[in-house]
Amino acid sequence: MQLSSQTSAAVDIAKAASVAPRGSADRPAKAQLGVNRSQLVAFIVMVACIIMSPSVIYQTFVMKMMCYALFACAFNLVLGYVGLLSFGHAAFFGTGCYVGAWTAKTLGVGPEASLCLGGAAGAALGLAFGYIAIKRQGLYFAMITLALAQMTYFFFLQAPFTHGEDGIQQIPRGRLFGLVSLESDGAMYWFVAVVFLGGLLFIHRTVHSPFGQVLRGIRENEERAISLGYASTSYKLIAFTLSAGLAAVAGAMKALVFSLATLNEVSMDTSSLVLLMALLGGLGTMFGPVVGAMLVVVIESELAALGSWVTIIQGLVFIGCVLTFKNGIVGEINRRFDIRL
């Protein structure tokens, strides 16, 4: 009874938000498990696109999209639903990438084990980082995560098992549960698709659980949440750890897809990239980070021949989207059509 009343109070906090409007994305779900009709249709369309993509698009390209989309969704969990701006999420993505790569190549574990180990390593690192930074707010929190991420970068640069700037190469994809070989792109594609969809559903369920409602309440009015008896620091730490673990799973998955783990995955550029993905798609929305990741990956791929100009074009696209779609692409769709994606 007490838990039910506390959850209702947290929902009231989120509904009575006094900060910047977020469209209809914050409305409590009316359907079972928090899935409304528009979200169900969008999910079915996304699954259909994933099923049909191998026949029309290069499979590795789509796998890269799904890896970054899961990373962006994990980042959105802390920024969009908790309000914590992290400048160091590449540390978790890169940790998962390196740990997954090293365990697969050196220990010879299967792909499912390398993903789990990479995710566990990222979650442990996220717990440590969160314990240090979570009591700070705003710019102070962001700067602490940035500093910790840079420390992680230099650790992987110097650690013997990472091979420095050469990275870990020729990573075997292995056999799923010792039965199904993932060496072919076709088999690996469906493995990545299942992991991506599973991660997305996990985030959706987390956000629409009583725990997720408390997170929204903390984001909108932390003082009121504390006055109701919630330990906001603990809730934020748990959310930050979950986000770090999912980001690490995405990193480990990318290492298996490309059979490569490099310093780029743990660099500041990757932290900036995932922030760009989340903002372009729409913070606090379920499908916004997916759309943002797709847009950024397409821009990088199509304009790769331009070299460093890609970064400038990405900046121009970002400025244009911010000026045109203040709430992000999906966030603006939510606002204009009064739906929640």
Side-chain angles (χ1 to χ4, degrees):
M1 181 66 71
Q2 183 179 5
L3 178 61
S4 177
S5 62
Q6 287 181 333
T7 302
S8 299
V11 175
D12 290 340
I13 298 174
K15 291 172 64 178
S18 59
V19 297
R22 300 177 183 269
S24 57
D26 286 336
R27 295 180 182 176
K30 297 180 180 179
Q32 187 179 14
L33 299 180
V35 180
N36 59 30
R37 182 177 299 178
S38 58
Q39 287 177 336
L40 182 60
V41 171
F43 184 78
I44 292 174
V45 171
M46 184 176 64
V47 172
C49 291
I50 291 174
I51 293 174
M52 293 185 297
S53 291
S55 60
V56 294
I57 305 176
Y58 190 41
Q59 290 176 337
T60 305
F61 180 70
V62 183
M63 286 191 283
K64 181 179 179 180
M65 279 187 180
M66 289 190 284
C67 291
Y68 276 115
L70 180 59
F71 182 28
C73 289
F75 179 77
N76 184 51
L77 179 61
V78 293
L79 180 57
Y81 293 103
V82 189
L84 296 174
L85 175 57
S86 170
F87 282 154
H89 250 57
F92 314 126
F93 184 76
T95 296
C97 188
Y98 273 116
V99 172
W102 184 80
T103 54
K105 184 174 182 178
T106 305
L107 302 182
V109 302
E112 71 286 348
S114 64
L115 256 63
C116 291
L117 291 171
L125 188 65
L127 180 62
F129 281 15
Y131 183 80
I132 296 172
I134 211 73
K135 293 182 180 180
R136 303 295 183 265
Q137 296 182 356
L139 184 61
Y140 298 102
F141 175 84
M143 290 298 101
I144 292 174
T145 58
L146 174 60
L148 292 172
Q150 288 300 102
M151 290 172 58
T152 306
Y153 174 86
F154 286 108
F155 167 78
F156 284 119
L157 176 62
Q158 300 294 332
F161 77 95
T162 64
H163 305 291
E165 296 182 353
D166 294 331
I168 303 177
Q169 303 177 20
Q170 297 179 342
I171 303 165
R173 292 178 177 176
R175 304 179 69 88
L176 183 62
F177 301 114
L179 301 173
V180 181
S181 175
L182 299 183
E183 293 302 327
S184 68
D185 286 344
M188 189 67 193
Y189 179 87
W190 297 114
F191 175 66
V192 172
V194 169
V195 174
F196 164 65
L197 292 175
L200 185 64
L201 291 174
F202 174 79
I203 293 173
H204 183 273
R205 187 64 193 122
T206 299
V207 168
H208 291 90
S209 67
F211 172 77
Q213 296 297 331
V214 174
L215 292 180
R216 294 188 184 197
I218 292 172
R219 178 195 66 194
E220 304 298 358
N221 196 328
E222 185 171 358
E223 290 76 13
R224 185 176 176 185
I226 294 173
S227 70
L228 290 171
Y230 291 103
S232 63
T233 300
S234 298
Y235 277 93
K236 291 191 291 186
L237 181 59
I238 294 172
F240 191 79
T241 304
L242 288 175
S243 174
L246 287 170
V249 169
M253 192 162 61
K254 184 174 182 290
L256 291 179
V257 170
F258 292 96
S259 298
L260 181 67
T262 66
L263 288 171
N264 182 60
E265 273 67 52
V266 75
S267 68
M268 179 59 192
D269 290 342
T270 301
S271 291
S272 303
L273 197 65
V274 73
L275 175 61
L276 177 63
M277 292 174 183
L279 290 175
L280 285 179
L283 294 175
T285 63
M286 188 55 55
F287 295 97
V290 178
V291 174
M294 290 174 57
L295 180 60
V296 171
V297 172
V298 168
I299 291 175
E300 282 191 339
S301 176
E302 295 298 322
L303 303 179
L306 298 179
S308 59
W309 283 95
V310 174
T311 305
I312 298 175
I313 294 174
Q314 283 179 344
L316 293 175
V317 170
F318 174 65
I319 293 173
C321 287
V322 168
L323 295 177
T324 309
F325 308 109
K326 183 175 62 175
N327 299 314
I329 297 173
V330 175
E332 198 66 23
I333 293 174
N334 287 340
R335 186 185 68 82
R336 293 190 179 187
F337 297 96
D338 195 28
I339 58 177
R340 183 169 58 84
L341 293 173

